[in-house]
Amino acid sequence: TPPDLARGDRPVSESVYRLRWTAEDANGDALRYTVQAREAGEGAWFVLASDLTDPQWTWDTNAVGDGRYQVRIVASDGPDNP
């Protein structure tokens, strides 16, 4: 599920956001996550973090330019399925 500000994924400060999500694999494989972002309305996604095993990550947005961004989480069960 995407980050949900109503659920408590609120800014830690003006520029730091704690992102949390839930995911499950139908046959119980371990999941690894990649956090990606893009400027709203743009086509290219860029990687913020990868190979995460915990379904949460803290983003310090000072590392990107001003503007609105979309975030997506990509889950993979690749380690359990070589």
Side-chain angles (χ1 to χ4, degrees):
T1 60
D4 181 353
L5 295 178
R7 190 184 72 208
D9 296 331
R10 301 193 186 284
V12 175
S13 72
E14 266 188 46
S15 62
V16 178
Y17 289 80
R18 184 178 307 120
L19 306 175
R20 296 179 291 165
W21 57 90
T22 59
E24 58 186 50
D25 182 77
N27 59 348
D29 291 340
L31 296 173
R32 299 225 180 229
Y33 308 102
T34 300
V35 180
Q36 300 177 340
R38 69 178 176 186
E39 284 194 63
E42 296 296 320
W45 293 90
F46 56 91
V47 174
L48 294 171
S50 62
D51 205 31
L52 301 174
T53 57
D54 195 18
Q56 63 181 356
W57 184 71
T58 301
W59 182 19
D60 182 349
T61 61
N62 285 316
V64 296
D66 290 345
R68 294 183 62 107
Y69 288 84
Q70 295 172 310
V71 175
R72 75 176 175 187
I73 310 302
V74 178
S76 170
D77 64 354
D80 284 350
N81 294 290

